[in-house]
Amino acid sequence: MLSAASAASAFTPGGAFTATGPLTILKGPLALQCNASAQIVGVPGAGGTVVSVTFSGTPACSATGPTGLPWPITPTSTTAATLSSVGIGGCGAGTLNAGWSNTPPGSFSLSPQPLGGCTVSGSLSVSPPQTLP
């Protein structure tokens, strides 16, 4: 019998997809309310990889950029995934644990969590629709 983690080995149908939505980045007293757009490539049997990210909204958001791309995505169950080597602006690099919803079209949720001196939270919906088996 397969464990939940091994059963959630890849996004379906996989291939290229986009995750977009609001993202909050807190660094000290500064709170950026940004819109994020991440280009992701689903890797059959292995999760996925974030290959590019843009932030928009305020001028400060637009000036914020990703570091350390690509970011590997490893599904840990049918309802969660880990994003590794994530770097945002002056926040440094770290790991983000995301919730995953298979409710169409599929979405990542980031509860407030530390990332290299910052705190990151948000919810990103994907297109085209994806599921974790």
Side-chain angles (χ1 to χ4, degrees):
M1 172 150 297
L2 293 175
S3 71
S6 63
S9 61
F11 292 96
T12 302
F17 61 98
T18 303
T20 58
L23 190 70
T24 301
I25 305 165
L26 299 171
K27 184 165 184 172
L30 178 63
L32 294 178
Q33 304 290 327
C34 301
N35 294 312
S37 179
Q39 299 298 311
I40 300 167
V41 176
V43 180
T49 304
V50 176
V51 294
S52 69
V53 179
T54 57
F55 300 102
S56 61
T58 67
C61 289
S62 297
T64 300
T67 60
L69 289 169
W71 303 336
I73 302 172
T74 306
T76 56
S77 73
T78 57
T79 60
T82 300
L83 288 81
S84 303
S85 304
V86 176
I88 298 175
C91 296
T95 298
L96 293 176
N97 295 305
W100 174 261
S101 172
N102 276 332
T103 301
S107 62
F108 292 101
S109 59
L110 298 165
S111 59
Q113 57 192 287
L115 179 68
C118 296
T119 300
V120 176
S121 62
S123 180
L124 306 174
S125 294
V126 301
S127 177
Q130 302 288 316
T131 60
L132 283 176

